[in-house]
Amino acid sequence: MRVLGIETSCDETGVAVYCTERGLLAHALFSQVRMHAAYGGVVPELASRDHVRKLLPLIRQVLNEAGLGTADLDGIAYTRGPGLVGALLVGASVASSLGYALRRPVLGVHHMEAHLLAPMLEASQPEFPFVALLVSGGHTMLVQVAGIGRYRLLGQSLDDAAGEAFDKTAKLLNLPYPGGPALERLAADGNPARFRFPRPMTDRPGLDFSFSGLKTFTRNTVQSQGDDPQTRADIARAFQDAVVDTLAIKCRRALQHTGVSGLVVAGGVGANRALRDRLQTVAAEQGARVYYPRLELCTDNGAMVALAGALRLEAGERQPSSAFDVVARWPLDSLCPPGEAIPPRQVS
Ligand code: KG4
Ligand code: ZN
């Protein structure tokens, strides 16, 4: 089964074709990062307009690369939420129109489910059950995954998401948007021994996170220590070490608590090298294995949407053709296994 995947939930237009027999056939991404950088963050209206400009050319490009015509597609998947409503609507309307014209099933996919299944695009694939650490710009979650659509939330951030903390801290250090990759580069020149930032909520039991205090800690450190280049690098290093350490402590706890032997790491912050290396060590200590998507499939992309859609469509899930909607907020643990129930509809 060949499924076209469309991702437009935020500031990347992603398109891909995934085949359930042959794997990923082609994928392409257009990042709006340069456009939003001038504003220091994503401007939703500009994001929507740019998806409108880029989506159809990207679909043509991906089909060309895969050597396919639209008639070769067996289904179409789009990100239904969570995300920016205007941006989501672009993907949803193009997917629904294509499906209607081609008489193919169309399925709205949960963005975080797509992230957590992304390691299945790689040669070394996790087997159920596993624990997933989802760390993106909007979410930080630890999820016990028994199968597709069988998700139990173990813990989540009570305030800022990990990626959001990276982005806000990067701003305090005068780094360009998006902050995560820029902060990681600056931290590489930092002295790890100069500052020690707190590891929030690691001194009490449980698997929830809190990252907003770290931002305040960074601001106070910048104010008291100045912002010469070396100090900025040292602060970036201390911040990154604190986030990585906090995530690692909670992942170790989640592995111990559930007794599973696989840890999946996905979402934009999963592209952070220090985090990847650290979780590799933590998992090895627990006799577990870590699974990541390749770097470019950690951040938003169409391949993960095509995959999630293909797995659900192949299992027989169908969405009524009238169910053309998007959802700004959509709890991951409200999902059901393929075909067991139509995802709850919700007016955003
Ligand atoms: O998953 P994603 O592409 O979009 C959302 O669904 O939010 O994640 C984007 C987030 C941003 O906050 C970005 O700063 C962060 O992931 N990020 C990183 C790195 N690459 C992206 N954070 C830390 N280190 C990185 N290398
Ligand atoms: Zn994402």
Side-chain angles (χ1 to χ4, degrees), residues 142-213:
L142 269 166
V143 187
Q144 186 169 1
V145 180
I148 295 168
R150 297 180 195 278
Y151 307 127
R152 192 162 78 87
L153 192 62
L154 299 171
Q156 63 183 327
S157 179
L158 304 179
D159 40 57
D160 292 353
E164 193 179 355
F166 265 96
D167 294 338
K168 288 179 175 171
T169 302
K171 236 182 200 174
L172 291 171
L173 294 169
N174 296 323
L175 295 170
Y177 164 85
L183 195 148
E184 179 175 13
R185 281 193 295 277
L186 183 61
D189 300 325
N191 170 5
R194 175 137 174 234
F195 302 114
R196 185 177 165 84
F197 282 24
R199 275 60 174 154
M201 296 184 70
T202 52
D203 56 352
R204 65 190 93 165
L207 294 167
D208 286 334
F209 305 90
S210 163
F211 290 111
S212 71

Side-chain angles (χ1 to χ4, degrees), residues 1-41:
M1 179 175 220
R2 285 182 289 242
V3 174
L4 180 75
I6 297 176
E7 156 64 34
T8 63
S9 68
C10 189
D11 59 348
E12 333 261 2
T13 318
V15 176
V17 180
Y18 179 82
C19 170
T20 47
E21 287 85 44
R22 293 167 50 213
L24 190 59
L25 301 184
H27 73 111
L29 184 88
F30 182 83
S31 172
Q32 305 177 352
V33 155
R34 291 237 306 268
M35 181 178 77
H36 297 294
Y39 304 91

Side-chain angles (χ1 to χ4, degrees), residues 111 115 136-138 163-164 166-167 178-181 184 267-269 271-272 298-300:
H111 182 80
H115 268 306
S136 71
E164 193 179 355
F166 265 96
D167 294 338
E184 179 175 13
V269 184
N272 185 284
C298 270
T299 43
D300 291 349

Side-chain angles (χ1 to χ4, degrees), residues 53-173:
R53 277 191 288 269
K54 298 294 170 2
L55 186 51
L56 288 179
L58 270 185
I59 292 175
R60 276 189 209 105
Q61 179 188 331
V62 163
L63 287 174
N64 269 339
E65 279 169 24
L68 301 174
T70 47
D72 299 316
L73 296 172
D74 301 302
I76 296 145
Y78 66 93
T79 303
R80 176 171 175 252
L84 303 170
V85 167
L88 290 165
L89 275 170
V90 179
S93 40
V94 169
S96 302
S97 317
L98 261 178
Y100 183 75
L102 298 169
R103 296 176 209 277
R104 297 289 191 277
V106 177
L107 195 66
V109 164
H110 193 290
H111 182 80
M112 299 313 290
E113 171 172 84
H115 268 306
L116 84 80
L117 296 176
M120 294 185 172
L121 292 161
E122 307 301 348
S124 146
Q125 299 190 3
E127 277 174 24
F128 300 118
F130 56 75
V131 163
L133 173 70
L134 298 178
V135 270
S136 71
H139 298 86
T140 301
M141 292 188 264
L142 269 166
V143 187
Q144 186 169 1
V145 180
I148 295 168
R150 297 180 195 278
Y151 307 127
R152 192 162 78 87
L153 192 62
L154 299 171
Q156 63 183 327
S157 179
L158 304 179
D159 40 57
D160 292 353
E164 193 179 355
F166 265 96
D167 294 338
K168 288 179 175 171
T169 302
K171 236 182 200 174
L172 291 171
L173 294 169

